Coordinates of all heavy atoms in Angstrom, one line a residue:
M4 N 2.2 -2.0 5.4 CA 2.8 -1.2 4.3 C 4.1 -0.5 4.7 O 4.2 -0.1 5.9 CB 1.8 -0.1 3.9 CG 0.5 -0.6 3.3 SD 0.7 -1.4 1.7 CE 0.2 -3.1 2.0
S5 N 5.0 -0.5 3.8 CA 6.3 0.0 4.2 C 6.7 1.3 3.5 O 6.8 1.3 2.3 CB 7.4 -1.1 3.9 OG 7.4 -1.4 2.6
G6 N 6.9 2.3 4.2 CA 7.5 3.6 3.7 C 6.7 4.2 2.6 O 5.6 3.9 2.3
T7 N 7.4 5.1 1.9 CA 6.8 5.8 0.8 C 7.2 5.3 -0.5 O 6.6 5.5 -1.6 CB 7.1 7.3 0.9 OG1 8.5 7.4 0.9 CG2 6.5 7.9 2.1
E8 N 8.3 4.5 -0.6 CA 8.8 3.9 -1.8 C 8.0 2.7 -2.2 O 7.8 1.8 -1.3 CB 10.3 3.7 -1.8 CG 11.0 5.0 -1.5 CD 12.5 4.8 -1.8 OE1 12.9 3.8 -2.5 OE2 13.3 5.6 -1.3
N9 N 7.7 2.5 -3.4 CA 7.0 1.4 -3.9 C 7.9 0.2 -4.2 O 8.0 -0.2 -5.4 CB 6.1 1.7 -5.1 CG 5.1 2.8 -4.7 OD1 4.5 2.7 -3.7 ND2 4.9 3.7 -5.6
V10 N 8.6 -0.3 -3.2 CA 9.5 -1.4 -3.4 C 8.7 -2.7 -3.5 O 7.7 -2.8 -2.8 CB 10.5 -1.5 -2.3 CG1 11.4 -2.7 -2.5 CG2 11.4 -0.2 -2.4
C11 N 9.1 -3.5 -4.4 CA 8.4 -4.8 -4.6 C 8.2 -5.5 -3.2 O 9.0 -5.5 -2.3 CB 9.3 -5.7 -5.5 SG 8.6 -7.3 -5.7
A12 N 7.0 -6.2 -3.1 CA 6.6 -6.8 -1.8 C 7.4 -8.1 -1.6 O 7.3 -8.6 -0.5 CB 5.1 -7.0 -1.8
R13 N 8.0 -8.6 -2.6 CA 8.7 -9.9 -2.4 C 10.0 -9.6 -1.6 O 10.8 -8.8 -1.9 CB 9.1 -10.6 -3.7 CG 9.7 -12.0 -3.5 CD 10.1 -12.6 -4.8 NE 11.2 -11.9 -5.5 CZ 12.5 -12.1 -5.1 NH1 12.8 -13.0 -4.2 NH2 13.4 -11.5 -5.7
E14 N 10.2 -10.4 -0.5 CA 11.4 -10.3 0.3 C 12.6 -10.5 -0.5 O 12.7 -11.4 -1.4 CB 11.4 -11.3 1.4 CG 10.8 -10.8 2.7 CD 10.8 -12.0 3.7 OE1 11.9 -12.5 4.0 OE2 9.7 -12.3 4.2
G15 N 13.6 -9.6 -0.4 CA 14.9 -9.8 -1.1 C 14.9 -9.1 -2.4 O 15.9 -9.1 -3.1
C16 N 13.8 -8.5 -2.8 CA 13.7 -7.8 -4.1 C 13.8 -6.3 -3.9 O 13.0 -5.8 -3.1 CB 12.4 -8.2 -4.9 SG 12.3 -7.5 -6.5
S17 N 14.6 -5.6 -4.7 CA 14.8 -4.2 -4.5 C 14.2 -3.4 -5.7 O 14.4 -2.2 -5.7 CB 16.2 -3.8 -4.2 OG 17.0 -4.3 -5.3
F18 N 13.6 -4.1 -6.6 CA 13.0 -3.4 -7.7 C 11.8 -2.6 -7.3 O 11.1 -3.0 -6.3 CB 12.6 -4.3 -8.9 CG 13.8 -5.0 -9.5 CD1 14.0 -6.3 -9.5 CD2 14.8 -4.2 -10.1 CE1 15.1 -6.9 -10.1 CE2 15.9 -4.7 -10.8 CZ 16.0 -6.1 -10.7
H19 N 11.5 -1.6 -8.0 CA 10.3 -0.8 -7.7 C 9.1 -1.3 -8.4 O 9.1 -1.7 -9.5 CB 10.5 0.7 -8.0 CG 11.4 1.4 -7.1 ND1 11.0 2.3 -6.2 CD2 12.8 1.3 -6.9 CE1 12.1 2.7 -5.5 NE2 13.1 2.1 -5.9
A20 N 8.0 -1.3 -7.7 CA 6.7 -1.7 -8.3 C 6.2 -0.6 -9.2 O 6.3 0.6 -8.8 CB 5.7 -2.1 -7.2
E21 N 5.7 -0.9 -10.3 CA 5.2 0.1 -11.2 C 3.8 0.5 -10.8 O 3.1 -0.1 -10.0 CB 5.1 -0.6 -12.6 CG 6.3 -1.1 -13.2 CD 7.2 0.0 -13.7 OE1 6.7 1.0 -14.3 OE2 8.4 -0.1 -13.5
L22 N 3.4 1.7 -11.3 CA 2.0 2.1 -11.2 C 1.2 1.4 -12.2 O 1.6 1.3 -13.4 CB 1.9 3.6 -11.3 CG 2.5 4.5 -10.2 CD1 2.3 6.0 -10.5 CD2 1.8 4.2 -8.9
V23 N 0.0 1.0 -11.9 CA -0.9 0.4 -12.8 C -2.2 1.2 -12.8 O -2.6 1.6 -11.8 CB -1.2 -1.1 -12.5 CG1 0.1 -2.0 -12.8 CG2 -1.6 -1.3 -11.1
M24 N -2.7 1.3 -14.0 CA -4.0 2.1 -14.1 C -5.2 1.1 -13.9 O -5.4 0.2 -14.6 CB -4.1 2.7 -15.5 CG -3.0 3.8 -15.7 SD -3.1 5.2 -14.6 CE -4.6 6.0 -15.2
I25 N -5.9 1.4 -12.8 CA -7.2 0.7 -12.6 C -8.3 1.7 -13.0 O -8.6 2.6 -12.2 CB -7.4 0.2 -11.2 CG1 -6.1 -0.6 -10.7 CG2 -8.6 -0.6 -11.0 CD1 -5.9 -1.9 -11.5
G26 N -8.9 1.5 -14.2 CA -9.8 2.5 -14.6 C -9.0 3.8 -14.9 O -8.0 3.8 -15.7
E27 N -9.3 4.9 -14.2 CA -8.6 6.1 -14.4 C -7.7 6.4 -13.2 O -7.2 7.5 -13.1 CB -9.5 7.3 -14.7 CG -10.2 7.2 -16.0 CD -11.2 8.3 -16.2 OE1 -11.3 9.2 -15.4 OE2 -11.8 8.3 -17.3
T28 N -7.6 5.5 -12.3 CA -6.9 5.7 -11.0 C -5.5 5.0 -11.1 O -5.5 3.8 -11.2 CB -7.7 5.2 -9.8 OG1 -9.0 5.8 -9.9 CG2 -7.0 5.6 -8.5
P29 N -4.4 5.7 -10.9 CA -3.1 5.0 -10.9 C -2.9 4.4 -9.5 O -3.0 5.1 -8.5 CB -2.1 6.1 -11.2 CG -2.8 7.4 -10.8 CD -4.3 7.2 -10.9
L30 N -2.8 3.1 -9.4 CA -2.5 2.5 -8.1 C -1.1 1.8 -8.2 O -0.7 1.4 -9.3 CB -3.5 1.4 -7.9 CG -5.0 1.8 -7.7 CD1 -5.9 0.6 -7.6 CD2 -5.1 2.7 -6.4
S31 N -0.4 1.8 -7.1 CA 0.9 1.1 -7.1 C 0.7 -0.4 -7.1 O 0.0 -0.9 -6.2 CB 1.7 1.7 -6.0 OG 1.1 1.4 -4.8
A32 N 1.4 -1.0 -8.0 CA 1.4 -2.5 -7.9 C 2.1 -3.0 -6.7 O 2.9 -2.3 -6.1 CB 2.0 -3.0 -9.2
V33 N 1.8 -4.2 -6.3 CA 2.5 -4.7 -5.1 C 3.9 -5.3 -5.4 O 4.8 -5.1 -4.7 CB 1.6 -5.8 -4.5 CG1 2.3 -6.4 -3.2 CG2 0.2 -5.2 -4.1
Y34 N 3.9 -5.9 -6.6 CA 5.2 -6.5 -7.0 C 5.8 -5.8 -8.3 O 5.0 -5.2 -9.0 CB 4.9 -8.0 -7.3 CG 4.4 -8.8 -6.2 CD1 3.1 -9.1 -6.0 CD2 5.3 -9.1 -5.1 CE1 2.6 -9.8 -4.9 CE2 4.9 -9.8 -4.0 CZ 3.5 -10.2 -3.9 OH 3.1 -10.9 -2.8
C35 N 7.1 -6.0 -8.5 CA 7.7 -5.3 -9.6 C 7.3 -6.0 -10.9 O 7.4 -5.4 -12.0 CB 9.2 -5.3 -9.4 SG 10.0 -7.0 -9.5
G36 N 7.0 -7.2 -10.8 CA 6.6 -8.0 -12.1 C 5.9 -9.3 -11.8 O 5.7 -9.6 -10.6
D37 N 5.6 -9.9 -12.9 CA 4.8 -11.2 -12.7 C 5.6 -12.3 -11.9 O 5.0 -13.0 -11.2 CB 4.4 -11.7 -14.1 CG 3.4 -10.8 -14.7 OD1 2.6 -10.2 -14.0 OD2 3.4 -10.8 -16.0
A38 N 6.9 -12.3 -12.2 CA 7.7 -13.4 -11.5 C 7.6 -13.3 -10.0 O 7.5 -14.3 -9.3 CB 9.2 -13.3 -12.0
C39 N 7.8 -12.1 -9.5 CA 7.7 -11.9 -8.0 C 6.3 -12.2 -7.5 O 6.2 -12.8 -6.4 CB 8.1 -10.5 -7.6 SG 9.9 -10.2 -7.7
A40 N 5.3 -11.8 -8.2 CA 3.9 -12.1 -7.8 C 3.7 -13.6 -7.7 O 3.1 -14.1 -6.8 CB 2.9 -11.4 -8.7
D41 N 4.2 -14.3 -8.8 CA 4.0 -15.7 -8.9 C 4.8 -16.4 -7.8 O 4.3 -17.4 -7.1 CB 4.4 -16.2 -10.2 CG 3.4 -15.8 -11.3 OD1 2.4 -15.3 -11.0 OD2 3.7 -16.1 -12.5
F42 N 6.0 -15.9 -7.5 CA 6.8 -16.5 -6.5 C 6.2 -16.4 -5.1 O 6.1 -17.4 -4.4 CB 8.2 -15.8 -6.5 CG 9.1 -16.3 -5.4 CD1 10.0 -17.4 -5.7 CD2 9.1 -15.8 -4.1 CE1 10.8 -17.9 -4.8 CE2 9.9 -16.4 -3.2 CZ 10.8 -17.4 -3.5
S43 N 5.6 -15.3 -4.8 CA 4.9 -15.1 -3.5 C 3.7 -16.0 -3.4 O 3.4 -16.6 -2.3 CB 4.6 -13.7 -3.3 OG 5.7 -12.9 -3.2
W44 N 3.0 -16.2 -4.5 CA 1.8 -17.0 -4.6 C 2.3 -18.5 -4.3 O 1.7 -19.2 -3.5 CB 1.1 -16.9 -5.9 CG -0.1 -17.7 -6.0 CD1 -1.4 -17.2 -5.6 CD2 -0.3 -19.0 -6.4 NE1 -2.3 -18.2 -5.8 CE2 -1.7 -19.3 -6.2 CE3 0.6 -20.0 -6.8 CZ2 -2.2 -20.6 -6.6 CZ3 0.0 -21.3 -7.1 CH2 -1.3 -21.6 -7.0
L45 N 3.4 -18.9 -4.9 CA 3.9 -20.3 -4.8 C 4.3 -20.5 -3.3 O 4.1 -21.6 -2.7 CB 5.0 -20.5 -5.7 CG 4.7 -20.7 -7.2 CD1 5.9 -20.7 -8.0 CD2 4.0 -22.0 -7.4
R46 N 5.0 -19.5 -2.8 CA 5.5 -19.7 -1.4 C 4.3 -19.8 -0.4 O 4.4 -20.6 0.5 CB 6.4 -18.5 -1.0 CG 7.0 -18.7 0.3 CD 8.2 -17.8 0.6 NE 7.9 -16.4 0.5 CZ 8.8 -15.4 0.5 NH1 10.0 -15.7 0.6 NH2 8.4 -14.2 0.5
R47 N 3.3 -19.0 -0.6 CA 2.1 -19.1 0.3 C 1.5 -20.5 0.1 O 1.0 -21.1 1.1 CB 1.1 -18.0 0.0 CG 1.4 -16.7 0.6 CD 0.2 -15.8 0.7 NE -0.4 -15.5 -0.6 CZ 0.0 -14.6 -1.5 NH1 1.0 -13.8 -1.1 NH2 -0.6 -14.5 -2.6
A48 N 1.4 -21.0 -1.1 CA 0.8 -22.3 -1.3 C 1.6 -23.3 -0.6 O 1.1 -24.3 0.0 CB 0.7 -22.5 -2.8
L49 N 2.9 -23.2 -0.7 CA 3.8 -24.2 0.0 C 3.7 -24.1 1.5 O 3.7 -25.1 2.2 CB 5.2 -24.0 -0.4 CG 5.6 -24.7 -1.7 CD1 7.1 -24.5 -2.0 CD2 5.3 -26.2 -1.7
E50 N 3.6 -22.9 2.0 CA 3.5 -22.7 3.5 C 2.2 -23.3 4.0 O 2.1 -23.7 5.2 CB 3.6 -21.2 3.8 CG 5.0 -20.7 3.8 CD 5.1 -19.1 3.9 OE1 4.0 -18.5 3.8 OE2 6.2 -18.6 4.0
A51 N 1.2 -23.4 3.2 CA -0.1 -23.9 3.6 C -0.1 -25.4 3.4 O -1.1 -26.1 3.7 CB -1.2 -23.2 2.8
S52 N 0.9 -26.0 2.8 CA 0.9 -27.4 2.6 C 1.5 -28.2 3.7 O 2.3 -27.7 4.5 CB 1.8 -27.7 1.3 OG 1.3 -27.0 0.2
E53 N 0.9 -29.4 3.9 CA 1.5 -30.3 4.9 C 2.9 -30.7 4.5 O 3.1 -31.0 3.3 CB 0.6 -31.6 5.0 CG -0.8 -31.3 5.6 CD -0.8 -30.9 7.0 OE1 0.1 -31.5 7.8 OE2 -1.6 -30.1 7.4
P54 N 3.8 -30.8 5.5 CA 5.2 -31.2 5.1 C 5.2 -32.7 4.5 O 4.5 -33.5 5.1 CB 5.9 -31.2 6.5 CG 5.1 -30.3 7.3 CD 3.7 -30.4 6.9
S55 N 5.9 -32.8 3.4 CA 6.0 -34.1 2.8 C 7.3 -34.1 2.0 O 7.9 -33.1 1.8 CB 4.8 -34.5 2.0 OG 4.8 -33.7 0.8
T56 N 7.7 -35.2 1.4 CA 8.8 -35.3 0.6 C 8.6 -34.4 -0.6 O 9.5 -33.7 -1.0 CB 9.1 -36.7 0.1 OG1 9.1 -37.6 1.3 CG2 10.4 -36.8 -0.6
A57 N 7.5 -34.5 -1.2 CA 7.2 -33.7 -2.4 C 7.3 -32.2 -2.1 O 7.8 -31.4 -2.9 CB 5.8 -34.0 -3.0
V58 N 6.7 -31.8 -0.9 CA 6.7 -30.4 -0.6 C 8.2 -29.9 -0.3 O 8.5 -28.8 -0.7 CB 5.8 -30.2 0.7 CG1 6.0 -28.8 1.3 CG2 4.4 -30.3 0.3
A59 N 9.0 -30.8 0.3 CA 10.4 -30.5 0.6 C 11.1 -30.2 -0.8 O 11.9 -29.3 -0.9 CB 11.0 -31.6 1.3
E60 N 10.8 -31.0 -1.8 CA 11.4 -30.8 -3.1 C 11.0 -29.5 -3.7 O 11.8 -28.8 -4.3 CB 11.1 -32.0 -4.0 CG 11.8 -33.2 -3.8 CD 11.4 -34.4 -4.7 OE1 10.7 -34.1 -5.7 OE2 11.8 -35.5 -4.4
C61 N 9.7 -29.2 -3.5 CA 9.2 -27.9 -4.0 C 9.9 -26.7 -3.3 O 10.2 -25.7 -4.0 CB 7.7 -27.8 -3.8 SG 6.7 -28.8 -4.9
W62 N 10.2 -26.8 -2.0 CA 10.9 -25.8 -1.3 C 12.3 -25.6 -1.9 O 12.8 -24.5 -2.1 CB 11.0 -26.1 0.2 CG 9.8 -25.6 1.0 CD1 8.9 -26.4 1.7 CD2 9.3 -24.3 1.2 NE1 8.0 -25.7 2.3 CE2 8.2 -24.4 2.0 CE3 9.8 -23.0 0.8 CZ2 7.5 -23.2 2.4 CZ3 9.1 -21.9 1.2 CH2 8.0 -22.0 2.0
Q63 N 12.9 -26.7 -2.2 CA 14.3 -26.6 -2.8 C 14.2 -25.9 -4.1 O 15.0 -25.0 -4.4 CB 14.9 -28.0 -3.0 CG 15.4 -28.6 -1.7 CD 16.1 -29.9 -1.9 OE1 16.1 -30.4 -3.0 NE2 16.6 -30.5 -0.9
N64 N 13.2 -26.2 -5.0 CA 13.0 -25.6 -6.2 C 12.8 -24.1 -6.0 O 13.3 -23.2 -6.8 CB 11.9 -26.2 -7.0 CG 12.2 -27.6 -7.5 OD1 13.4 -27.9 -7.6 ND2 11.2 -28.4 -7.8
L65 N 11.9 -23.8 -5.0 CA 11.6 -22.4 -4.8 C 12.8 -21.6 -4.3 O 13.0 -20.5 -4.7 CB 10.5 -22.4 -3.7 CG 9.6 -21.1 -3.7 CD1 8.8 -21.0 -4.9 CD2 8.8 -21.0 -2.4
N66 N 13.6 -22.2 -3.5 CA 14.8 -21.5 -3.0 C 15.8 -21.3 -4.2 O 16.4 -20.2 -4.2 CB 15.5 -22.4 -1.9 CG 14.8 -22.4 -0.6 OD1 14.0 -21.4 -0.4 ND2 15.0 -23.4 0.2
A67 N 15.9 -22.2 -5.1 CA 16.7 -22.0 -6.3 C 16.2 -20.9 -7.1 O 16.9 -20.0 -7.7 CB 16.8 -23.3 -7.1
L68 N 14.8 -20.9 -7.2 CA 14.1 -19.8 -8.0 C 14.4 -18.5 -7.3 O 14.6 -17.4 -8.0 CB 12.7 -20.1 -8.0 CG 11.8 -19.3 -8.9 CD1 12.2 -19.4 -10.3 CD2 10.3 -19.8 -8.8
E69 N 14.4 -18.4 -6.0 CA 14.6 -17.2 -5.3 C 16.0 -16.6 -5.6 O 16.2 -15.4 -5.8 CB 14.5 -17.4 -3.8 CG 14.6 -16.1 -3.0 CD 14.1 -16.3 -1.6 OE1 14.3 -17.4 -1.0 OE2 13.6 -15.3 -1.0
R70 N 17.0 -17.5 -5.7 CA 18.3 -17.0 -6.1 C 18.4 -16.4 -7.5 O 19.0 -15.4 -7.7 CB 19.3 -18.2 -6.0 CG 19.7 -18.5 -4.5 CD 21.0 -19.4 -4.5 NE 20.7 -20.7 -5.0 CZ 20.2 -21.7 -4.3 NH1 19.9 -21.5 -3.0 NH2 20.0 -22.9 -4.8
I71 N 17.6 -17.1 -8.4 CA 17.6 -16.5 -9.8 C 16.9 -15.1 -9.7 O 17.4 -14.2 -10.4 CB 16.8 -17.5 -10.7 CG1 17.5 -18.8 -10.8 CG2 16.5 -16.8 -12.0 CD1 16.7 -19.9 -11.6
L72 N 15.8 -15.0 -9.0 CA 15.1 -13.7 -8.9 C 16.0 -12.7 -8.3 O 16.0 -11.5 -8.7 CB 13.8 -13.9 -8.2 CG 12.7 -14.7 -8.9 CD1 11.5 -14.8 -8.0 CD2 12.3 -14.1 -10.2
N73 N 16.7 -13.0 -7.2 CA 17.6 -12.1 -6.6 C 18.7 -11.6 -7.4 O 19.3 -10.6 -7.2 CB 18.0 -12.6 -5.2 CG 16.9 -12.7 -4.2 OD1 15.8 -12.2 -4.4 ND2 17.2 -13.4 -3.1
A74 N 19.1 -12.5 -8.4 CA 20.3 -12.2 -9.1 C 20.0 -11.5 -10.4 O 21.0 -10.9 -11.1 CB 21.1 -13.5 -9.5
R75 N 18.8 -11.4 -10.8 CA 18.5 -10.7 -12.1 C 18.7 -9.2 -12.0 O 18.6 -8.7 -10.9 CB 17.1 -11.1 -12.5 CG 16.0 -10.3 -11.8 CD 14.7 -11.1 -11.7 NE 14.0 -10.7 -10.5 CZ 12.8 -10.2 -10.5 NH1 12.0 -10.3 -11.5 NH2 12.3 -9.7 -9.4
S76 N 19.0 -8.6 -13.1 CA 19.3 -7.2 -13.1 C 18.1 -6.3 -13.7 O 18.1 -5.1 -13.6 CB 20.5 -6.9 -13.9 OG 20.4 -7.4 -15.2
E77 N 17.1 -7.0 -14.2 CA 15.9 -6.3 -14.7 C 14.7 -7.0 -14.2 O 14.7 -8.3 -14.1 CB 15.8 -6.4 -16.2 CG 17.0 -5.7 -16.9 CD 16.8 -4.1 -16.8 OE1 15.7 -3.7 -16.7 OE2 17.9 -3.5 -16.9
P78 N 13.7 -6.3 -13.8 CA 12.5 -6.9 -13.2 C 11.9 -8.0 -14.1 O 11.3 -8.9 -13.6 CB 11.5 -5.8 -12.9 CG 12.3 -4.6 -12.9 CD 13.6 -4.8 -13.8
F79 N 12.0 -7.7 -15.4 CA 11.2 -8.6 -16.4 C 12.2 -9.6 -17.1 O 11.8 -10.2 -18.1 CB 10.5 -7.7 -17.4 CG 9.4 -6.9 -16.7 CD1 9.6 -5.6 -16.5 CD2 8.3 -7.5 -16.2 CE1 8.6 -4.8 -15.8 CE2 7.3 -6.8 -15.5 CZ 7.5 -5.4 -15.4
S80 N 13.4 -9.7 -16.6 CA 14.3 -10.7 -17.2 C 13.8 -12.1 -16.9 O 14.2 -13.1 -17.5 CB 15.7 -10.5 -16.8 OG 15.9 -10.7 -15.4
V81 N 13.0 -12.3 -15.8 CA 12.3 -13.5 -15.6 C 10.8 -13.3 -15.8 O 10.3 -12.4 -15.1 CB 12.6 -14.1 -14.2 CG1 11.8 -15.3 -13.9 CG2 14.1 -14.3 -14.0
G82 N 10.2 -14.0 -16.6 CA 8.8 -13.8 -17.0 C 7.8 -14.4 -16.0 O 8.3 -14.9 -14.9
P83 N 6.6 -14.5 -16.3 CA 5.6 -15.1 -15.4 C 6.0 -16.6 -15.2 O 6.4 -17.3 -16.1 CB 4.3 -15.0 -16.2 CG 4.5 -13.9 -17.1 CD 5.9 -13.9 -17.5
L84 N 5.9 -17.0 -13.9 CA 6.3 -18.4 -13.6 C 5.1 -19.3 -13.8 O 5.3 -20.5 -14.1 CB 6.7 -18.4 -12.1 CG 7.8 -17.4 -11.7 CD1 8.1 -17.5 -10.2 CD2 9.1 -17.6 -12.5
I85 N 3.9 -18.9 -13.6 CA 2.8 -19.8 -13.5 C 2.1 -19.8 -14.9 O 1.8 -20.8 -15.4 CB 1.8 -19.3 -12.4 CG1 2.5 -19.5 -11.1 CG2 0.5 -20.2 -12.5 CD1 1.7 -18.9 -9.9
G86 N 1.9 -18.6 -15.5 CA 1.1 -18.5 -16.7 C 1.6 -19.3 -17.8 O 0.8 -20.0 -18.5
E87 N 2.9 -19.4 -18.0 CA 3.5 -20.1 -19.1 C 3.1 -21.5 -19.1 O 2.7 -22.1 -20.2 CB 5.0 -19.9 -19.2 CG 5.3 -18.5 -19.7 CD 6.8 -18.3 -19.9 OE1 7.5 -19.3 -20.0 OE2 7.3 -17.2 -19.8
S88 N 3.2 -22.2 -18.0 CA 3.0 -23.6 -17.9 C 1.5 -23.8 -18.1 O 1.1 -24.9 -18.6 CB 3.5 -24.2 -16.6 OG 2.9 -23.5 -15.5
L89 N 0.7 -22.9 -17.6 CA -0.8 -23.0 -17.7 C -1.2 -23.0 -19.2 O -2.1 -23.7 -19.6 CB -1.5 -22.0 -16.9 CG -1.6 -22.2 -15.4 CD1 -2.4 -21.1 -14.8 CD2 -2.3 -23.5 -15.1
Y90 N -0.6 -22.1 -19.9 CA -1.1 -21.8 -21.3 C -0.3 -22.5 -22.3 O -0.6 -22.3 -23.5 CB -1.2 -20.3 -21.5 CG -2.1 -19.6 -20.5 CD1 -1.7 -18.7 -19.6 CD2 -3.5 -19.9 -20.6 CE1 -2.5 -18.1 -18.7 CE2 -4.3 -19.3 -19.7 CZ -3.9 -18.4 -18.8 OH -4.7 -17.8 -17.9
A91 N 0.8 -23.2 -21.9 CA 1.7 -23.8 -22.9 C 1.0 -24.8 -23.8 O 1.2 -25.0 -25.0 CB 2.9 -24.4 -22.2
G92 N 0.0 -25.6 -23.2 CA -0.6 -26.6 -24.0 C -1.7 -26.0 -24.8 O -2.7 -26.5 -25.0
Ligands
ZN19 ZN1 10.2 -8.0 -7.3

């Protein structure tokens, strides 16, 4: 855990994580938004994957995605990365 400020847990992100109410207890969220949470989930999944051509392509996509996330000016200008594709159909 880092410091007293609730900065988003994704590396390179300087947005603040919001407080979320769990029951009646306000807890600080780990990430500033769904995009960062999904990004970290994807990165962990890739780190756990055996190196392959497909995984290398995924890393390239992830790095491009990281640039988009680092360049945005609002935490929610990029929405959930995973949910949309899951529920689109
Ligand atoms: Zn973030």
